[in-house]
Amino acid sequence: MKIKADTSVCIGAGMCALTAPEVFDQSEEDGTVVLLQESPPETLEDASRRAVTLCPSGALSLE
Amino acid sequence: MSHLSLSITRQRPLDPPDEVSGLRQRGAMHRMTFADGHLGWLVTGYTAARAVLAHPHFSNRPDLMHPLLPNRMQLAERGKFPVPRGFFLRMDPPDHTRYRRLLTGQFTVRRMKTLEPRIAEIADACLDEMEAAGGPLDLVESFALPIPSLVICELLGVPYEDRAQFQADSEILINLETEAEEALAAVGRISAYLYGLIRRKREEPADDLLSGLVEGGELDDEELTGVGFLLLVAGHETTANMLGLGTYALLTNPDQFAAMRDDPSVVDNGVEELLRYLSIIHLGPVRTALEDVEIEGALIKAGETVAVHLPVANRDPERFPGGERLDVARPAGGHLSFGHGIHQCLGQQLARAEMRIAYPALLRRLPGLRLAVSPEEVPMRSDMSIYGVHRLPVTW
Ligand code: HEM
Ligand code: SF4
């Protein structure tokens, strides 16, 4: 699984960082998503997928 | 053919009006007449609600919107209920984006974590005072309102001692009966107060969010007033009503009360479930189509206004089976109580931190908490745009 994050549409709602903190963080400056790992291990795939569905702005996608 | 108009009368205090829930059998999208006669739409399905709120062709500008309720009609008729500069909730991109981007860094999950010890301290202080005073007392006044109010005041750098006036004015603004003149006067008073405060911060900056924005130099004093206005009002009434109404819901569902009190692992999800089940933003969000859009087979024409019914969408049985019941153990993530799309609540991580601390603190300190009146005697906020309880008399 590979995650893509588009910071230009991210609104910094933080659903990703709340749902899968090992995979997503938020920038200190403008709160937009920071991808901590592009290809999370299997143990984090479920949480990552949940985060992608919860993201309100469509900033996250899976490849 | 006559069309539906919005019913706001609830048969049971914690359930949305039966007329609106009943629409579900006829689909997710319904033609509905707005208060000025405009034929628009009401959305009751979960997937459709998400689709509308995430779609770039829907605007949140008030000058395009038709009024949902008759009492707001005067405001719309004037067409001039001004969006204060900086009040980015009612703006579209790119204006919305510009303001929101300046703020999101202050409301991240990580930043909110650093506030937790102070929130816990405030909750404990409220409980100390309650214990010293003894029951019965009003939980709204002693617990549900002071916690979020003090937290947002400290975060923004608004003196808590000044709260009487701006709390009274925000009540005026969210009261559905308020006339246009009265609303404009309240907006004027809050704005004047915040404008003065911001001028003082320009001279003597402190370590708070508004000072930080002043020093950031991207916004002028008028814009800062609008931003401060939005944060102060949105930060107060929302969490306060979640704590008040949530406690009422737990007290009237004793098994859920016990689960939240006795099992710390239930709390985080229990908070999401209370958000879902109670859906305190109960009349809206409302959007207007800028271009023709198709949502679940319904063609919404440019210029038509769409109201999303969060309480009913949050109980869509396809998304939340058995959603009519409060069940703090159900997976409640993905609810729409903070909205969806680009306007999804900026303060949600703050609200979560407050609730995740306040509910267990209350239930554990006062395990025998109970209503001091019968449930029917608790005055519900059916007359306000943010639902909740006006007062919650409790004892222990
Ligand atoms: C449980 C408490 C809360 C609930 C249920 C709630 C609900 C909502 C909802 C539904 C929206 C979206 C409105 C729309 O799409 O038209 C929203 C937006 C917003 N909320 Fe909250 N809110 C809560 C707490 C807070 C707090 C504590 C703050 C404090 C800073 C806050 C600040 C905001 C702001 C600034 C917006 C506008 C965001 C934008 O337009 O980009 N909210 N809230
Ligand atoms: S959930 Fe989406 S919008 Fe929110 S911070 Fe993460 S990527 Fe950005």
Side-chain angles (χ1 to χ4, degrees):
Chain A
M1 179 165 87
K2 202 168 163 218
I3 304 173
K4 265 188 23 190
D6 180 352
T7 50
S8 70
V9 297
C10 169
I11 52 149
M15 289 313 295
C16 53
L18 189 76
T19 312
E22 304 86 348
V23 184
F24 306 97
D25 199 353
Q26 291 174 275
S27 105
E28 277 292 317
E29 201 156 302
D30 64 3
T32 54
V33 59
V34 175
L35 208 48
L36 300 175
Q37 30 184 339
E38 267 194 352
S39 309
E42 243 178 79
T43 47
L44 295 175
E45 281 193 0
D46 269 1
S48 307
R49 218 170 268 124
R50 241 189 345 267
V52 173
T53 353
L54 286 176
C55 170
S57 70
L60 302 178
S61 55
L62 292 177
E63 287 187 351
Chain B
M1 176 178 167
S2 79
H3 289 276
L4 153 89
S5 58
L6 186 66
S7 164
I8 58 167
T9 312
R10 294 180 181 231
Q11 287 72 26
R12 296 161 304 281
L14 296 183
D15 295 331
D18 288 340
E19 290 91 327
V20 188
S21 307
L23 290 172
R24 202 184 272 134
Q25 279 139 27
R26 293 200 260 137
M29 306 288 301
H30 315 274
R31 297 303 329 232
M32 183 178 82
T33 305
F34 283 67
D36 58 354
H38 170 73
L39 184 57
W41 298 86
L42 181 69
V43 184
T44 56
Y46 175 86
T47 315
R50 263 178 74 112
V52 167
L53 294 174
H55 204 293
H57 288 170
F58 286 104
S59 167
N60 205 13
R61 275 168 44 197
D63 54 320
L64 301 176
M65 190 185 104
H66 293 273
L68 194 55
L69 298 170
N71 34 285
R72 288 277 153 173
M73 196 154 95
Q74 294 102 329
L75 296 180
E77 262 173 2
R78 312 173 116 235
K80 292 190 200 71
F81 189 48
V83 186
R85 288 179 65 219
F87 198 89
F88 59 95
L89 168 62
R90 306 311 305 274
M91 294 178 189
D92 295 341
D95 302 333
H96 168 264
T97 325
R98 171 171 168 253
Y99 292 108
R100 177 139 181 160
R101 274 290 164 91
L102 288 174
L103 290 168
T104 37
Q106 308 288 330
F107 289 93
T108 59
V109 173
R110 191 146 28 106
R111 187 63 72 87
M112 293 305 114
K113 279 243 173 308
T114 64
L115 295 181
E116 283 173 5
R118 177 64 186 139
I119 300 173
E121 207 174 273
I122 293 172
D124 283 341
C126 287
L127 290 165
D128 290 343
E129 273 187 40
M130 285 172 62
E131 275 194 324
L137 48 72
D138 174 14
L139 192 83
V140 174
E141 197 189 303
S142 338
F143 188 80
L145 183 59
I147 296 172
S149 179
L150 186 50
V151 170
I152 194 73
C153 283
E154 289 188 355
L155 183 69
L156 295 179
V158 172
Y160 187 60
E161 313 78 76
D162 296 347
R163 68 190 177 281
Q165 186 62 52
F166 59 70
Q167 282 179 356
D169 284 329
S170 44
E171 288 284 305
I172 291 177
L173 289 176
I174 57 180
N175 190 322
L176 298 170
E177 307 290 311
T178 297
E179 303 283 333
E181 304 296 325
E182 228 184 313
L184 288 172
V187 170
R189 280 190 300 269
I190 303 183
S191 303
Y193 168 73
L194 285 172
Y195 187 77
L197 186 69
I198 281 159
R199 296 301 292 256
R200 291 206 297 282
K201 293 204 182 287
R202 208 170 269 294
E203 270 149 42
E204 279 178 64
D207 184 18
D208 57 50
L209 194 150
L210 289 178
S211 298
L213 287 174
V214 167
E215 294 194 304
E218 309 225 20
L219 302 177
D220 63 34
D221 289 354
E222 206 184 311
E223 290 176 299
L224 285 164
T225 302
V227 168
F229 190 125
L230 175 57
L231 293 177
L232 187 62
V233 174
H236 250 94
E237 297 285 348
T238 46
T239 314
N241 280 299
M242 269 306 299
L243 290 175
L245 188 64
T247 305
Y248 172 86
L250 293 171
L251 289 171
T252 51
N253 289 276
D255 53 329
Q256 304 296 310
F257 182 98
M260 277 290 264
R261 181 191 57 202
D262 302 336
D263 184 353
S265 74
V266 158
V267 171
D268 286 4
N269 185 71
V271 165
E272 300 305 313
E273 171 66 353
L274 286 165
L275 282 161
R276 180 198 70 82
Y277 180 73
L278 301 171
S279 298
I280 57 167
I281 306 295
H282 65 142
L283 303 167
V286 178
R287 299 286 191 269
T288 305
L290 295 168
E291 294 176 40
D292 293 2
V293 188
E294 203 182 306
I295 303 281
E296 299 210 352
L299 178 66
I300 296 154
K301 295 255 178 59
E304 289 179 346
T305 294
V306 179
V308 176
H309 206 288
L310 294 183
V312 173
N314 269 333
R315 293 180 180 203
D316 186 332
E318 285 185 19
R319 181 60 179 78
F320 298 106
E324 308 299 317
R325 261 182 318 109
L326 173 68
D327 173 3
V328 292
R330 121 184 24 252
H335 63 73
L336 300 173
S337 298
F338 289 120
H340 185 65
I342 60 166
H343 293 283
Q344 195 186 58
C345 184
L346 173 71
Q348 59 183 292
Q349 310 307 350
L350 175 59
R352 284 194 171 95
E354 291 173 332
M355 288 184 281
R356 287 174 174 191
I357 290 167
Y359 283 125
L362 172 69
L363 306 187
R364 280 174 212 155
R365 179 83 78 93
L366 305 172
L369 191 72
R370 60 182 193 279
L371 288 176
V373 296
S374 72
E376 297 74 37
E377 287 172 287
V378 174
M380 309 307 295
R381 293 171 46 112
S382 314
D383 52 343
M384 309 298 262
S385 61
I386 301 175
Y387 195 62
V389 292
H390 281 293
R391 286 180 299 286
L392 192 65
V394 294
T395 190
W396 53 87

